[in-house]
Amino acid sequence: GQDRHCRQVGNRQSTIASPDGNPGDADVEPFLDDNEDIAPKIMDRLRGIMANQDTKCCLKLELAAVIDVGKHFVTATYDLEGDSGLSLSCYQRMQAVCNACKVDIAQMHFSNLHAVASHTAALHPEMTAAWAEDYGRQAVRGAVHWFLQKFNVQFYTTMRAFKVACLMCPATVQTLGATPADVEQLRAFPFLDSDGVINNLAEELPLYLATAEGTRFAEGDLKALSDQKVKWWRDHASALPHWSQAVKMVLLVQPSSAAAERVFSLLNAAFGDQQEHALRDYLECTVMLQYNSPRE
């Protein structure tokens, strides 16, 4: 379907590619020549796209649109692959990505796509910038729809748990005006799905709200914000024993496996084949020292 559309571009718009040799793709062909052994079929396909001026133009517009939409996902991924108490902030970060994607594709801000479309139209008066920009927007429409389906349908239960975890943020709980009925929603976490645990949290809720009143956290990146929340709970653990115990368990729920994978990487780097029979306490101590050592 995409090939047919690009051919239609050629039929409708004549030759779209830059006749003056746009320097933006000057390094593509040398890259293809230097990496012939990498994914030969994909390389052949890419050569075919680059050899045809119409498909090359379509590719540039599509890549520009992907960069504009993808920045929301890339920054969120970096934020949520950290080691801090991200479970208390995960929902807001993911909701920000969802909100960006919920905007009508025609109203979304595409700065890179706008620049590429304007540049192309300036070189080719027979092609309008509006048409080129709309082409790029339509190219990513399916991907945006796919994410929203994942977020709102397939991962609904998981995101519901992280949404409930917002109750454990002392700044957010005031805005929410949490009630015992809200505390019931913490059963989304299996390890909190106990009448005894929920009753204790509900009984301690008024004290939690009173203690959290007026709490504000300094602006910063997600890790810094998460660290402030963890410190708040550390400072108030004795005053709120039931809530602080529940928070400790929820903090162990990470939104990604990146932190655990880093531990395995440290383990593999620290122990070779000749240390396969090292004792468990030695392994644990070594990995903990490396993982928890201050990072420069």
Side-chain angles (χ1 to χ4, degrees):
Q2 198 76 340
D3 286 344
R4 183 174 65 255
H5 189 94
C6 287
R7 286 195 296 270
Q8 291 173 350
V9 172
N11 293 335
R12 291 167 45 199
Q13 306 291 350
S14 183
T15 301
I16 296 176
S18 171
D20 59 355
N22 187 350
D25 59 349
D27 57 347
V28 175
E29 302 233 356
F31 172 81
L32 295 176
D33 294 336
D34 294 340
N35 297 276
E36 292 183 350
D37 56 333
I38 301 177
K41 291 185 178 180
I42 295 178
M43 288 297 185
D44 288 343
R45 173 68 175 150
L46 187 53
R47 283 193 183 88
I49 292 175
M50 298 303 294
N52 183 291
Q53 302 297 343
D54 298 327
T55 55
K56 183 195 291 188
C57 177
C58 290
L59 178 63
K60 290 180 181 179
L61 294 169
E62 292 165 15
L63 289 176
V66 168
I67 291 172
D68 286 326
V69 172
K71 65 184 178 184
H72 301 291
F73 297 93
V74 172
T75 54
T77 298
Y78 285 150
D79 287 341
L80 298 176
E81 284 189 343
D83 301 323
S84 55
L86 298 173
S87 54
L88 306 188
S89 306
C90 172
Y91 181 77
Q92 292 97 323
R93 191 66 188 85
M94 289 300 297
Q95 189 62 48
V97 178
C98 187
N99 290 342
C101 292
K102 279 182 178 178
V103 178
D104 181 21
I105 197 76
Q107 303 300 321
M108 290 178 69
H109 180 61
F110 286 78
S111 56
N112 288 286
L113 175 59
H114 178 74
V116 172
S118 298
H119 175 75
T120 305
L123 294 174
H124 303 278
E126 71 277 6
M127 173 184 176
T128 65
W131 180 90
E133 194 164 342
D134 182 65
Y135 172 81
R137 291 174 185 272
Q138 298 307 319
V140 296
R141 179 185 290 275
V144 170
H145 177 73
W146 178 86
F147 166 74
L148 291 175
Q149 284 290 108
K150 287 281 186 179
F151 186 88
N152 295 316
V153 180
Q154 184 173 345
F155 296 146
Y156 173 79
T157 302
T158 301
M159 295 313 303
R160 175 173 167 266
F162 282 120
K163 182 178 182 179
V164 175
C166 293
L167 290 174
M168 296 180 168
C169 170
T172 304
V173 72
Q174 304 168 64
T175 305
L176 296 176
T179 66
D182 296 320
V183 175
E184 281 287 334
Q185 300 302 312
L186 287 170
R187 293 181 185 272
F189 293 98
F191 48 80
L192 298 179
D193 188 10
S194 163
D195 290 342
V197 171
I198 296 299
N199 289 338
N200 287 336
L201 293 175
E203 289 178 4
E204 201 172 79
L205 178 62
L207 179 59
Y208 171 30
L209 291 173
T211 305
E213 185 174 358
T215 299
R216 296 290 183 272
F217 297 117
E219 296 292 331
D221 59 28
L222 197 61
K223 182 183 184 307
L225 183 61
S226 298
D227 289 344
Q228 292 180 69
K229 295 177 183 179
V230 172
K231 183 180 183 303
W232 190 94
W233 278 109
R234 186 185 300 117
D235 295 341
H236 295 84
S238 58
L240 302 167
H242 297 298
W243 274 92
S244 62
Q245 182 61 31
V247 169
K248 287 180 182 178
M249 292 187 285
V250 170
L251 286 173
L252 295 176
V253 181
Q254 290 291 315
S256 79
S257 62
E261 290 169 2
R262 279 192 285 273
V263 172
F264 284 111
S265 296
L266 286 174
L267 183 62
N268 292 331
F271 296 93
D273 295 339
Q274 296 180 349
Q275 296 169 296
E276 289 182 350
H277 299 290
L279 296 178
R280 175 180 173 181
D281 57 349
Y282 177 55
L283 293 173
E284 182 178 356
C285 182
T286 301
V287 172
M288 288 182 67
L289 283 173
Q290 292 192 40
Y291 192 85
N292 295 309
S293 295
R295 296 172 175 80
E296 296 299 334

